[in-house]
Amino acid sequence: MEKGIELARGKTKILSELSGQPEVAVVTQLDVISAGNGVRRDTLPGKARLAALTTSRVFRLLNLCGLPTHYVRGGEDDDANEMLVRRCTMIPVEVVVRGVAAGSLVKRRPGIAPGMLLVPRLVEFFLKDDAANDPLIDADMLVAQHLASADEVNAMVEIARLAFEILAHAWRRRDVLLVDVKFEFGRIASGEGKGSLVIADVIDNDSWRIWPGGREDLMLDKQFYRNLPSVTPEGLAAVLERYEQVAEHVGSFPVMRGAMVAAMCDVLAPEQAVENLARAVGQFGIPITRHLTSLTRVPGQLLALVQQLEVSFGRVQFVGIGDQALADVLHFASAMPTAHLSSSATPQECEALALSIAKNFGIDDTVLYGRTLLAQGNGRASVLAADASANAPERQARLSIPAV
Ligand code: 5GP
């Protein structure tokens, strides 16, 4: 990428302009590893490539799930350790989400046992201030000091929690426990979406704690480097080996597994039901294949179709559209999940069915798991927004009893 002037330099990366494109910037990772606010710092050849791969795949996963991030593209092997991002005004805080007690939390709170599961997840803010060693800061103080608005603080907590659950799911599928992770947020500086909040900076193997099989002694993240009693060439080689393993795992994070909804429609059922279902599952990015059938006129065709679809797709969800009897036959004929949709189903009923289909696929598919979490979050937000507008002063005035 044709870089312009340097905009900022961190301990392990550089942010530069992209010539002639003011809305984007280039993040270049460096072959550097550091800890303890830069007190320990080493060159680690190969780390930049692994960090670029890791952060870009993590961002791609979060983007695919529908979370807002600054990532645009890049970070692959032939991208010179560079990724393209939207330019942001950064909010100077680190947002740490913890699912398991470790690190500074257990030092600060001796009453919390290391390794304790944290439910609900704990979200903490740390002010980015090297001189003061990034102190913990209250959400209210962020607002009082005009570092973020109250709405932004709430959004950071919500988005960080969702991102944590998505990453925890991806790691769980690889039998690795995500202990905690640090995010940073920015506001899009210009152009489309100006002012909106996005996850920014990088999310790589320096940003989290990850324990294979839930075992701290097998840790794969930067804590291994922090814990080295002294830095030796062998120690650094062991660090790099862990970063390589992590980049390899994360490489497959943004992959959606093949999934298909097979709509088996009674030939007499109106087309509207299948259209509504197609739209609802389409919101999750799940493809649908439609087949017309009749239990009474062509029962053999229905069974043959079921067999054919089962062998064609590894993961298929059948939906019988029409009489309950059609769904009952599917239920007993197929080893795959089946559901019934009445031919008079409303769009809301189709959306509810699509959500439960996405949930089933999401058990072993992080992209669909993330999209499910997001759909549920948006559902909650729309109810709260409707409630807020129902209680808005002008509406209250309209609802109040007129004076006589
Ligand atoms: P703790 O507060 O326990 O030291 O860290 C919590 C989590 O945030 C850990 O996963 C840690 O790796 C991450 N973290 C904390 N501070 C930083 C930082 O300055 N840079 C990066 N990359 N990660 C951090």
Side-chain angles (χ1 to χ4, degrees):
M1 293 182 220
E2 205 182 311
K3 287 181 285 187
I5 59 157
E6 194 174 304
L7 296 166
R9 182 175 279 256
K11 296 181 193 85
T12 58
K13 62 190 178 286
I14 299 171
L15 186 74
S16 320
E17 276 188 343
L18 184 68
S19 301
Q21 295 196 47
E23 287 174 17
V24 288
V26 182
V27 177
T28 310
Q29 301 269 4
L30 304 173
D31 276 338
V32 172
I33 186 162
S34 81
N37 206 356
V39 172
R40 176 174 277 186
R41 185 178 189 282
D42 287 281
T43 302
L44 193 58
K47 190 210 173 210
R49 183 182 73 84
L50 299 170
L53 271 175
T54 304
T55 200
S56 60
R57 299 298 172 96
V58 165
F59 275 125
R60 245 194 266 168
L61 169 66
L62 299 179
N63 281 355
L64 270 174
C65 293
L67 281 184
T69 84
H70 71 156
Y71 176 79
V72 180
R73 66 180 152 81
E76 297 304 317
D77 269 350
D78 45 8
D79 291 324
N81 311 330
E82 294 170 350
M83 66 175 188
L84 192 70
V85 298
R86 291 293 303 275
R87 255 176 101 163
C88 293
T89 331
M90 293 301 290
I91 299 179
V93 288
E94 296 184 341
V95 184
V96 171
V97 187
R98 301 180 190 271
V100 176
S104 72
L105 175 69
V106 297
K107 283 193 198 129
R108 234 181 310 124
R109 299 278 198 97
I112 298 184
M116 190 176 125
L117 272 184
L118 300 169
V119 182
R121 312 312 193 174
L122 193 62
V123 181
E124 294 180 324
F125 293 99
F126 295 86
L127 190 64
K128 278 179 74 82
D129 180 350
D130 280 349
N133 248 329
D134 297 349
L136 187 68
I137 181 168
D138 279 355
D140 287 345
M141 279 303 272
L142 288 178
V143 180
Q145 293 189 16
H146 305 292
L147 296 171
S149 69
D151 281 349
E152 283 175 333
V153 169
N154 290 339
M156 284 194 281
V157 169
E158 177 90 357
I159 295 170
R161 279 217 172 103
L162 284 171
F164 177 91
E165 295 308 339
I166 290 166
L167 294 174
H169 184 277
W171 278 118
R172 203 162 42 239
R173 288 185 56 218
R174 289 148 182 92
D175 197 23
V176 175
L177 175 69
L178 178 67
V179 172
D180 48 33
V181 58
K182 184 261 310 181
F183 300 104
E184 293 189 26
F185 286 83
R187 304 177 190 100
I188 297 287
S190 62
E192 196 190 333
K194 184 179 172 199
S196 57
L197 196 70
V198 292
I199 307 180
D201 194 54
V202 297
I203 307 168
D204 57 23
N205 200 32
D206 294 354
S207 315
W208 53 36
R209 290 191 174 91
I210 43 173
W211 298 349
R215 286 180 50 183
E216 184 174 3
D217 58 319
L218 300 180
M219 66 179 74
L220 291 174
D221 56 273
K222 189 170 86 168
Q223 193 63 38
F224 183 83
Y225 169 76
R226 295 187 190 108
N227 290 355
L228 288 177
S230 63
V231 181
T232 59
E234 296 74 37
L236 283 180
V239 171
L240 192 65
E241 199 186 304
R242 283 164 176 74
Y243 277 67
E244 275 163 0
Q245 277 184 49
V246 169
E248 194 172 326
H249 278 303
V250 176
S252 59
F253 273 14
V255 177
M256 189 167 153
R257 297 188 56 208
M260 177 64 75
V261 169
M264 316 303 275
C265 314
D266 189 299
V267 72
L268 300 176
E271 272 179 31
Q272 196 55 47
V274 70
E275 287 308 320
N276 288 340
L277 181 66
R279 195 170 312 114
V281 296
Q283 286 175 357
F284 291 94
I286 305 171
I288 188 164
T289 169
R290 307 153 196 231
H291 300 276
L292 291 179
T293 188
S294 166
L295 202 53
T296 43
R297 295 185 218 172
V298 285
Q301 176 241 19
L302 176 62
L303 297 177
L305 269 174
V306 167
Q307 282 178 357
Q308 200 183 332
L309 289 163
E310 278 185 347
V311 296
S312 307
F313 303 104
R315 298 195 308 161
V316 56
Q317 158 84 52
F318 290 98
V319 179
I321 301 179
D323 288 347
Q324 177 70 44
L326 177 60
D328 289 346
V329 170
L330 289 171
H331 183 58
F332 287 102
S334 172
M336 296 286 168
T338 59
H340 173 232
L341 192 69
S342 125
S343 47
S344 58
T346 62
Q348 289 74 21
E349 285 166 336
C350 293
E351 278 169 22
L353 178 58
L355 179 63
S356 63
I357 291 171
K359 277 186 193 176
N360 277 338
F361 285 139
I363 290 171
D364 58 0
D365 184 324
T366 303
V367 175
L368 283 177
Y369 172 76
R371 287 179 184 173
T372 300
L373 288 187
L374 222 77
Q376 291 173 324
N378 289 337
R380 280 193 296 274
S382 69
V383 174
L384 296 179
D387 177 54
S389 89
N391 288 301
E394 60 288 358
R395 173 121 193 203
Q396 285 295 310
R398 266 187 282 132
L399 292 177
S400 62
I401 300 164
V404 279

